[in-house]
Amino acid sequence: MKMTVVGCGYLGATHAACMAELGHEVLGLDSDPDRIALLATGKAPFYERDLDGLLAEHTASGRLKFTTSVEEAAAFADLYFVGVGTPQQPGSGSYDLSQLFGAVRTLAPHLTAPAVIAVKSTVPVGTAPQLAELVRATAPAGDLVEIAWNPEFLRESSAIEDTLRPDRLVLGFDTPGTRAETVLRQAYAPVIASGTPMIVTDWATAELAKGAANSFLAAKISFINAMAEVCEKSGANVSGLADILGHDVRIGRRGMQPGIGFGGGCLPKDLGGFIARAEALGAGEAVGMLREAESVNARRRRRVVDLAREELGTDLRGKRITVWGAAFKAGTDDIRDSPALAVAGALHALGARVTVTDPQALDNARKLHPELDYAEDPAAAVDGADLLLHLTEWPAFAHLDPGPLAARARTPKAVDARGTLDTGRWRAAGWTVRAPGRP
Ligand code: UDX
């Protein structure tokens, strides 16, 4: 099939490459000429495992092309996946839908024949009817342009796997059984044929799916992090507790790793957006526990700052702190709402001299936090440190030998906020290690 992917950021670029991998002819559309130029050479404008390989393969074969021209995109196909960004509005939990409505407003006047617009971007429930109204009013083909809702659940660092072999496929339609459903079933035929569970539903349920899923995941992380607080007061070990709870299949261990709390471009935004929309709909009471999940999450970052002050004294001026990690999690160069950088920034504001290292995210971190110091090599970053903070769980950090590192630090003190260092080994090598939620 031929199809256009509108918006070539994280979601769109991955989706475009994966649709080409499934055998389709794909045209990616984005208004950013630099991004399009880079993608056209087979390179992603961000780090995602295996994505460069897929882009290179399919741009070379000619199955995947990129453009900034809406006219070209509209002439190319009659199936449009929309994966533009829906960021959080500054100062509120609500979504900024300007890119989504802008993209559809630009595209609609070119739609002169029956078409399907399948929206993948995350939105507040109630957006689909508004988009449908916009299309009806501005597309020459009017009612022949159908809107479908097709939320995306990909995780950064496993985005390709999550797209090609998703846990489930969700398709939302105003009216089931129309041409839009036939077209999307055809587009996803290989995914469906491999046994992926598929849920065909209405617009509102499909719109809610992503926000609800991410709110649950966020609440699950905050639950175990709240348990970490109780563990700290009682001398228990939150890792052992998570293992015990996780063996109950109704609970499950995955997505319940205690630590510094969640960050990134999705979980915090979708949790805030879900709460804001529920409140606007008069369902504020229903999301009380989600507000609590936000509070627990904010406390995790503060706890690491507090631990640093417990170790170094309340006056941090002149103290040298090394931070292992800038990305919001391992496997990505994404620093959006990164807990590691939030803690690094807070400690710098308290007067500490903070040196940050990360295998992928240093370029992005330098741009956002020019006030911090940076080091490429995690071992060299420890030179002269009064305190080492392990804030992003890159395996490369956990694999380093703590013995030689102890000699490089001024004082061998560490805080393992991710809980993935072998603390026994570190202590045996002379380090004092604090780990939130663990004795
Ligand atoms: C998330 C959802 O998982 C995905 O389904 C959705 O499509 C987009 O948002 P992502 O932001 O890539 O994906 O990251 P995820 O792996 O879910 O981690 C989010 C944050 O939670 C990270 O900061 C991570 O470190 C933290 N986390 C995750 C935990 O603290 N504990 C866990 O057990 C899992």
Side-chain angles (χ1 to χ4, degrees):
M1 287 173 78
K2 290 177 100 178
M3 57 192 65
T4 294
V5 176
V6 184
C8 293
Y10 222 107
L11 169 56
T14 306
H15 189 68
C18 289
M19 287 293 113
E21 175 72 7
L22 292 181
H24 301 305
E25 270 186 65
V26 186
L27 181 64
L29 170 71
D30 198 287
S31 55
D32 181 341
D34 293 338
R35 180 180 293 178
I36 286 298
L38 195 63
L39 285 163
T41 64
K43 290 201 179 67
F46 47 82
Y47 171 73
E48 174 64 37
R49 190 158 44 93
D50 300 334
L51 182 58
D52 277 349
L54 265 197
L55 288 169
E57 182 184 340
H58 295 301
T59 48
S61 73
R63 216 190 280 165
L64 177 59
K65 294 194 170 78
F66 292 94
T67 185
T68 55
S69 161
V70 182
E71 290 79 6
E72 188 186 340
F76 184 76
D78 63 4
L79 170 58
Y80 302 87
F81 285 103
V82 180
V84 296
T86 52
Q88 203 163 11
Q89 277 180 15
S92 93
S94 307
Y95 291 96
D96 171 359
L97 298 178
S98 56
Q99 289 181 53
L100 177 61
F101 278 87
V104 173
R105 201 171 283 119
T106 312
L107 181 65
H110 301 279
L111 302 179
T112 52
V116 176
I117 299 179
V119 182
K120 302 192 77 62
S121 309
T122 307
V123 296
V125 59
T127 305
Q130 294 172 35
L131 267 193
E133 188 49 47
L134 172 67
V135 168
R136 204 173 297 127
T138 54
D143 282 343
L144 298 177
V145 179
E146 291 178 69
I147 301 281
W149 224 261
N150 175 213
E152 182 60 61
F153 301 95
L154 64 80
R155 289 161 300 171
E156 295 184 18
S157 79
S158 56
I160 292 167
E161 185 63 19
D162 288 350
T163 306
L164 293 175
R165 279 169 283 280
D167 290 339
R168 74 299 214 186
L169 201 54
V170 177
L171 301 177
F173 304 102
D174 188 26
T175 318
T178 58
R179 183 171 167 274
E181 187 175 337
T182 309
V183 168
L184 283 168
R185 281 178 181 271
Q186 205 182 331
Y188 283 116
V191 177
I192 299 167
S194 68
T196 304
M198 187 168 71
I199 293 101
V200 176
T201 185
D202 52 83
W203 275 343
T205 308
E207 286 175 307
L208 274 179
K210 176 69 179 290
N214 273 353
S215 295
F216 184 90
L217 293 170
K220 189 172 181 185
I221 296 167
S222 277
F223 176 84
I224 200 64
N225 283 331
M227 293 303 108
E229 293 182 16
V230 180
C231 284
E232 276 179 44
K233 298 286 182 203
S234 59
N237 185 330
V238 72
S239 294
L241 186 63
D243 290 341
I244 295 164
L245 298 184
H247 281 297
D248 185 327
V249 290
R250 293 167 302 173
I251 299 175
R253 182 67 169 83
R254 284 178 65 197
M256 203 172 55
Q257 177 63 23
I260 194 174
F262 56 82
C266 283
L267 252 54
K269 177 191 81 156
D270 289 345
L271 183 63
F274 196 85
I275 293 170
R277 186 62 183 145
E279 283 171 348
L281 288 168
E285 277 184 29
V287 291
M289 64 178 176
L290 298 183
R291 276 191 291 270
E292 199 48 43
E294 283 186 320
S295 307
V296 172
N297 202 49
R299 284 205 297 275
R300 294 324 282 166
R301 300 176 185 196
R302 288 204 296 273
R303 179 71 185 126
V304 179
V305 174
D306 289 346
L307 278 175
R309 298 175 90 182
E310 281 176 26
E311 288 302 316
L312 300 177
T314 44
D315 185 2
L316 292 179
R317 282 174 301 175
K319 301 286 187 198
R320 296 180 65 134
I321 299 178
T322 299
V323 169
W324 274 0
F328 81 95
K329 66 173 186 180
T332 177
D333 64 356
D334 195 340
I335 56 163
R336 285 176 294 172
D337 205 348
S338 162
L341 283 179
V343 169
L347 292 168
H348 173 85
L350 289 168
R353 183 159 166 214
V354 181
T355 302
V356 178
T357 185
D358 190 285
Q360 290 291 345
L362 283 193
D363 288 346
N364 287 338
R366 274 193 193 98
K367 283 180 216 143
L368 191 71
H369 286 282
E371 78 281 12
L372 302 174
D373 292 327
Y374 293 95
E376 300 286 339
D377 175 23
V382 177
D383 287 340
D386 295 299
L387 180 67
L388 168 64
L389 303 180
H390 176 236
L391 304 188
T392 307
E393 74 287 21
W394 287 100
F397 296 149
H399 290 149
L400 285 175
D401 184 347
L405 289 177
R408 299 182 83 146
R410 185 151 72 183
T411 43
K413 291 183 177 181
V415 173
D416 177 17
R418 289 283 186 167
T420 54
L421 296 183
D422 180 348
T423 45
R425 189 164 163 241
W426 279 67
R427 286 179 183 132
W431 288 83
T432 305
V433 186
R434 304 280 304 270
R438 296 166 183 90

